[in-house]
Amino acid sequence: MGTVTAPAAQPVREARRRRVPSRVRGLGLNLVALLLGIGLWALLAGLGVQGLPGPVKVAHRAAELIGDGTLEGDALASLRRVLLGFALGTALAVPAGFLMGWYGVARGLLEPWVQFFRTIPPLAIIPLAIVVLGIGETPKILVIALGAFLSCVISTFQGVIGVDPTLVNAARVLGAGDRVIFTRVVVPASTPFIVVGMRIGLGSAWATLVAAELIAAQQGLGFRMQQAQVYYDLPTIFVGLITIGVLGLLMDRLLLLAERRLGGWQDRR
């Protein structure tokens, strides 16, 4: 038994060893890209491009906002809205996508409505949501959830209908029923599509959030940038933009980490 297991485990260990230098190289390239971006930003600011604030000035303004607690409060308010809306949207999108992909009746009932609302930008629904639900947290979260839902449901649906029929037929030949095929074949094969949809939905959630806060909010990164626009406070606007970018990037990397854990059986480049 040991002589069979050791050779079988050898390719796995070699693949893991190859991944480590690849990840280190990727992190190195990310760092280089970051330094190049900051350098270009500083160069453009030094040339006086449209009053663009430099990195030092923006960092100084960020320190001020952190010192008085403004940035922390705005970031937490925006992050709370995004997390609630994103969680609600994806929690509804994944089951709906599976139903549309697995059952023809569900597809016929749900797909026309999904396609209909996909043509309507979530931003266009913000005025209606505010009129109907007021200017509290509920309309913002619901609009964010809609943006995340529409992005994720289509990706999940495509993942289900794109499962290799050979895998399904092989499972049936081995005596597996619909429930086993769905849980052991369809769900794992659809996981990469679900994660892609969630990543797209995350971007939609942040974009919708900022628009919602620009229209009706008393706290948040979008609200803070709107106030800064009135006084032509470009450093504060840049602080808000960078904060949104950093938070979105961290959330995206968490999704990628989850995908690696759930889809570790897949070959990767």
Side-chain angles (χ1 to χ4, degrees):
M1 183 67 69
T3 57
V4 176
T5 304
Q10 188 66 25
V12 177
R13 288 195 294 266
E14 292 179 356
R16 289 177 178 174
R17 282 197 296 266
R18 287 195 298 266
R19 287 176 189 170
V20 173
S22 177
R23 291 177 182 176
V24 173
R25 182 170 60 252
L27 291 175
L29 291 175
N30 293 157
L31 180 60
V32 170
L34 176 63
L35 294 176
L36 288 176
I38 295 176
L40 179 61
W41 176 15
L43 176 62
L44 294 176
L47 295 175
V49 177
Q50 293 292 326
L52 182 69
V56 176
K57 190 173 184 179
V58 172
H60 183 264
R61 180 55 179 158
E64 293 177 348
L65 294 174
I66 293 173
D68 60 16
T70 300
L71 184 59
E72 179 183 0
D74 289 335
L76 290 176
S78 295
L79 188 60
R80 181 176 63 251
R81 292 166 184 149
V82 167
L83 288 176
L84 290 174
F86 177 70
L88 177 61
T90 53
L92 296 175
V94 173
F98 278 131
L99 287 174
M100 290 168 54
W102 193 247
Y103 297 106
V105 174
R107 184 185 309 180
L109 292 174
L110 297 177
E111 188 176 15
W113 288 107
V114 171
Q115 297 297 339
F116 171 78
F117 280 105
R118 282 186 67 219
T119 62
I120 303 175
L123 302 182
I125 302 178
I126 292 177
L128 175 62
I130 291 175
V131 170
V132 175
L133 300 174
I135 60 174
E137 294 297 303
T138 301
K140 300 180 184 63
I141 293 173
L142 289 181
V143 172
I144 293 169
L146 177 62
F149 173 85
L150 295 174
S151 300
C152 190
V153 68
I154 293 298
S155 184
T156 304
F157 167 66
Q158 290 297 133
V160 175
I161 64 175
V163 174
D164 189 351
T166 304
L167 299 176
V168 178
N169 293 332
R172 292 193 188 282
V173 170
L174 294 174
D178 285 346
R179 184 179 64 84
V180 175
I181 292 174
F182 184 78
T183 57
R184 298 295 182 89
V185 178
V186 175
V187 172
S190 304
T191 298
F193 292 86
I194 297 173
V195 175
V196 169
M198 292 176 69
R199 294 178 68 188
I200 298 173
L202 181 62
S204 299
W206 277 108
T208 307
L209 165 90
V210 173
E213 289 182 341
L214 288 174
I215 295 175
Q218 298 301 318
Q219 191 179 32
L221 295 171
F223 166 78
R224 193 63 54 192
M225 288 190 291
Q226 182 190 38
Q227 296 298 308
Q229 176 194 1
V230 175
Y231 300 100
Y232 203 70
D233 185 1
L234 290 179
T236 299
I237 295 176
F238 268 78
V239 171
L241 292 174
I242 293 172
T243 303
I244 291 172
V246 170
L247 292 175
L249 180 61
L250 292 176
M251 294 175 69
D252 181 77
R253 289 300 179 264
L254 289 177
L255 289 177
L256 287 178
L257 179 61
E259 181 191 16
R260 293 191 184 99
R261 295 295 178 88
L262 296 174
W265 52 273
Q266 294 179 312
D267 293 332
R268 298 180 182 277
R269 296 181 58 185

